[in-house]
Amino acid sequence: MDITQSFPRQLLSVSGIKSLLNVFPHCCIDAFFKEYNLFRNKPKMWRAVVNALSRAKVPGGQAFRPLPAQEGRSLLPGSTHCCQRAVPGLHTAQQLSMSPGIQKVEALDAGHFVRVEWEDGSESRYPCVWLRDNCQCPLCFLPSAGARRLLFEDLDVNIVVKEVALADGKKISITWPDEHASEYEAEWLKKRCFSEAARAEMQADLFLPERQYWGSDLQLPKIPFEEVMNNDESAYKWLCTLKKVGIVLLTGAATRQGELIKLGHRIGFLRLTFYGPTWQVQDKADANNVAYTTGKLCFHTDYPVLHHPPGVQFLHCIKQTATGGESEVVDGFHISNKLKKQNPEAYQILSSTAVDYTDVGVDFCDFAVHCKQRIIDIDSRGQAVRINYNNATRDAVFDIPAEKVRPFYAALKEFNDLLNSAEHKFTYKLKPGDIVTFDNWRVLHGRQSYPSGSGVTRHLEGAYADWDVVLSRLRLLRKRVLNRD
């Protein structure tokens, strides 16, 4: 059931609320209704909803308790208004989204900082060098491009304010030592507050880092292909789920080549590689890729031989074999977390050792590609952000000392065993018209073997897209669907 299509008619009953909570078991219901402008100016209806919620049970048997918005978690994909716990003394997500007016403004630290006291009682401190760097006047900023005009060589990194004043509680004005004047809107400043909570809020809103890990219990998300193509809400739901879960199945596409080109146009454009803008996965004589055979494909990510591997992969089933050919997927980030807990030394080896990859041949054009990648790419916090693992294209060249080779193989073996564990992998079979879309930086995929025949017995068309393109479309759809940046 698409719960967003059944509000508010089916909501005012305990059974309706239970259905809602089964879909969104740990959410801030209040934020959901506000996002969709439901129950506006209808306090009686809202009280009825809250009463129904109080009688409902969330999964696990616990009764629902209404929470302040900042203590809940975001319900809508891409909405971060209530995704974090409130931290005493710091801006909460609720405060940030309300964008209150300014109560007071003053210069601090001999003019090197500007302190803003907000009407809600919170405060923010802004470094003056940052304020001057981000002056919004036409001389310093080009609105039509959303880009800075101020040259960095013209910026004084030790600059202080000459005067700072409050205008109507909605903006502050600053005069600099050279008499240049800058104005900053309250909402603009609030979004860019330097507190830990505010920065986390902004980063979550920009990059949607929330992940839902899974194993063999994956409930594969499914959305009709035509809905994604023709409905912005469905397209937004698709991309948000793709970012959060890592995989979404689009159903009901035509069983002919070219549907992925259409999907590429829906998000922007596809990624061109040495195998072409799209490529045909089927049994081929003298195959230039192991995927173009009928044999089993072990878990892998595509194209780690490129310095910037494609972020998203699409596979469209045009024809399916009667026996064999099942697809398998595994959550690489979930496996990385497991390995880190189970064997920190193995995790350290795989996240620090540069592995050589190679791919040489002819397809869209001739190519000879070589690259070094770590099996587990991590960020500054040690969290996995990309898996680069393809056993078929892992090179015989290995640029590490001989004594480190065996420990590397042992670590990779443990990682590979976790990938293939029955509790972690999910197996399904694509039907003609299905398009599986997945995060190629996170989800490793494989295929069971299938019998060869005199003709083509199994045919998938494949394509790639970059996360930059996908996230760009997601943000534009969010603005259109939710009416917010």
Side-chain angles (χ1 to χ4, degrees), residues 223-238 250-254 256 259 262-263 265-267 473 477 480-481:
I223 305 177
F225 174 75
E226 290 300 327
E227 286 189 15
V228 166
M229 295 300 298
N230 298 303
N231 182 278
D232 283 347
E233 289 188 14
S234 294
Y236 176 62
K237 177 182 177 183
W238 165 47
L250 306 184
T251 60
R256 59 174 179 264
E259 297 297 273
K262 296 178 184 177
L263 194 60
H265 289 159
R266 184 66 169 110
I267 60 171
R473 182 56 54 194
L477 287 168
R480 197 175 302 160
V481 171

Side-chain angles (χ1 to χ4, degrees), residues 254-261 278 280 282 316 318 459 461:
T255 54
R256 59 174 179 264
Q257 291 179 216
E259 297 297 273
L260 297 187
I261 298 293
T278 67
Q280 311 309 314
Q282 55 194 35
H316 175 208
I318 296 173
H459 179 194
E461 184 171 37

Side-chain angles (χ1 to χ4, degrees), residues 90-111:
L90 296 177
H91 290 293
T92 64
Q94 184 185 44
Q95 290 171 327
L96 290 170
S97 62
M98 289 175 62
S99 188
I102 300 173
Q103 183 73 34
K104 179 182 177 182
V105 62
E106 62 180 346
L108 295 177
D109 192 20

Side-chain angles (χ1 to χ4, degrees), residues 288-321:
N288 63 348
N289 191 294
V290 294
Y292 302 160
T293 69
T294 62
K296 174 181 172 62
L297 297 180
C298 59
F299 284 120
H300 64 284
T301 59
D302 272 24
Y303 250 143
V305 73
L306 299 180
H307 284 89
H308 188 76
V312 176
Q313 183 168 171
F314 307 137
L315 288 172
H316 175 208
C317 181
I318 296 173
K319 186 175 183 180
Q320 182 61 280
T321 180

Side-chain angles (χ1 to χ4, degrees), residues 42-265:
K42 298 179 181 179
K44 290 183 179 180
M45 186 179 293
W46 178 244
R47 281 196 295 272
V49 171
V50 173
N51 289 336
L53 283 169
S54 66
R55 297 193 302 273
K57 299 286 185 179
V58 301
Q62 296 181 345
F64 172 84
R65 293 290 180 266
L67 296 173
Q70 69 268 23
E71 294 183 9
R73 289 181 60 197
S74 173
L75 176 65
L76 286 175
S79 172
T80 58
H81 289 326
C82 46
C83 65
Q84 299 185 0
R85 294 286 177 184
V87 181
L90 296 177
H91 290 293
T92 64
Q94 184 185 44
Q95 290 171 327
L96 290 170
S97 62
M98 289 175 62
S99 188
I102 300 173
Q103 183 73 34
K104 179 182 177 182
V105 62
E106 62 180 346
L108 295 177
D109 192 20
H112 285 288
F113 282 85
V114 169
R115 175 182 172 271
V116 174
E117 183 178 317
W118 303 95
E119 289 180 349
D120 62 5
S122 61
E123 67 173 58
S124 305
R125 290 181 8 129
Y126 300 96
C128 287
V129 64
W130 176 83
L131 287 167
R132 182 63 189 89
D133 183 42
N134 290 283
C135 175
Q136 300 292 291
C137 83
L139 293 175
C140 300
F141 187 77
L142 182 61
S144 60
R148 183 183 292 106
R149 302 180 77 162
L150 178 66
L151 303 179
F152 196 81
E153 51 262 39
D154 294 335
L155 178 67
D156 178 4
V157 298
N158 296 311
I159 197 167
V160 296
V161 298
K162 181 179 179 180
E163 294 179 1
V164 59
L166 175 61
D168 302 327
K170 294 299 182 183
K171 66 175 67 173
I172 68 170
S173 61
I174 293 177
T175 302
W176 302 101
D178 62 357
E179 301 303 325
H180 186 84
S182 303
E183 286 189 341
Y184 306 89
E185 298 287 343
E187 182 179 1
W188 187 92
L189 285 169
K190 190 71 165 176
K191 287 182 178 180
R192 292 158 179 81
C193 173
F194 281 87
S195 73
E196 184 177 354
R199 288 185 287 112
E201 167 83 1
M202 177 60 82
Q203 293 304 302
D205 209 45
L206 289 173
F207 300 108
L208 286 80
E210 185 180 2
R211 298 171 180 173
Q212 179 179 312
Y213 299 112
W214 47 268
S216 60
D217 58 346
L218 171 67
Q219 300 295 310
L220 184 59
K222 300 178 182 180
I223 305 177
F225 174 75
E226 290 300 327
E227 286 189 15
V228 166
M229 295 300 298
N230 298 303
N231 182 278
D232 283 347
E233 289 188 14
S234 294
Y236 176 62
K237 177 182 177 183
W238 165 47
L239 296 182
C240 286
T241 307
L242 180 63
K243 184 66 174 67
K244 181 178 179 179
V245 181
I247 184 170
V248 179
L249 185 69
L250 306 184
T251 60
T255 54
R256 59 174 179 264
Q257 291 179 216
E259 297 297 273
L260 297 187
I261 298 293
K262 296 178 184 177
L263 194 60
H265 289 159

Side-chain angles (χ1 to χ4, degrees), residues 389-408:
Y389 181 41
N390 191 316
N391 197 58
T393 58
R394 186 168 51 82
D395 203 349
V397 173
F398 200 8
D399 186 21
I400 65 172
E403 60 272 15
K404 292 187 176 182
V405 171
R406 185 186 169 282
F408 169 81

